[in-house]
Amino acid sequence: MVGVPNLTDHIDIPAIDVYGRGGSIRPAWYGDCLPERDFPAYTALFQAGKFPLDKFVSERIGLDDVEEGFATMKAGKVLRSVVEL
């Protein structure tokens, strides 16, 4: 799964698949990011031209277009919309 699950989401995995294949289940919130550590590092990488954030943005929208932006993301038409104020 990618992202934070809905409160009603469930995972049903046969136990034999975990034990028999040597698997494990480990949750990660937001990729286990530590904002106080990671955000300054990401900022430095971006400023050095080594972290191309523009490639992660599918569209830029205005504040009045937020509802339409959510619908577009839900439909799978864009990866990430950035709201410009």
Side-chain angles (χ1 to χ4, degrees):
M1 295 176 70
V2 176
V4 178
N6 184 301
L7 293 176
T8 60
D9 288 344
H10 291 85
I11 299 172
D12 183 16
I13 302 172
I16 193 66
D17 287 346
V18 176
Y19 288 97
R21 297 181 182 159
S24 64
I25 299 172
R26 184 181 180 279
W29 286 88
Y30 303 105
D32 279 349
C33 173
L34 295 174
E36 64 276 1
R37 175 197 67 197
D38 296 337
F39 288 5
Y42 297 150
T43 301
L45 287 170
F46 174 74
Q47 290 174 332
K50 297 179 181 180
F51 191 41
L53 291 175
D54 296 355
K55 292 183 179 181
F56 295 97
V57 177
S58 300
E59 68 176 354
R60 296 177 184 279
I61 60 175
L63 192 56
D64 292 337
D65 300 318
V66 169
E67 290 300 322
E68 181 181 336
F70 276 117
T72 304
M73 283 191 289
K74 187 174 183 179
K77 296 179 180 177
V78 298
L79 175 65
R80 178 80 58 206
S81 300
V82 171
V83 178
E84 293 183 335
L85 302 177

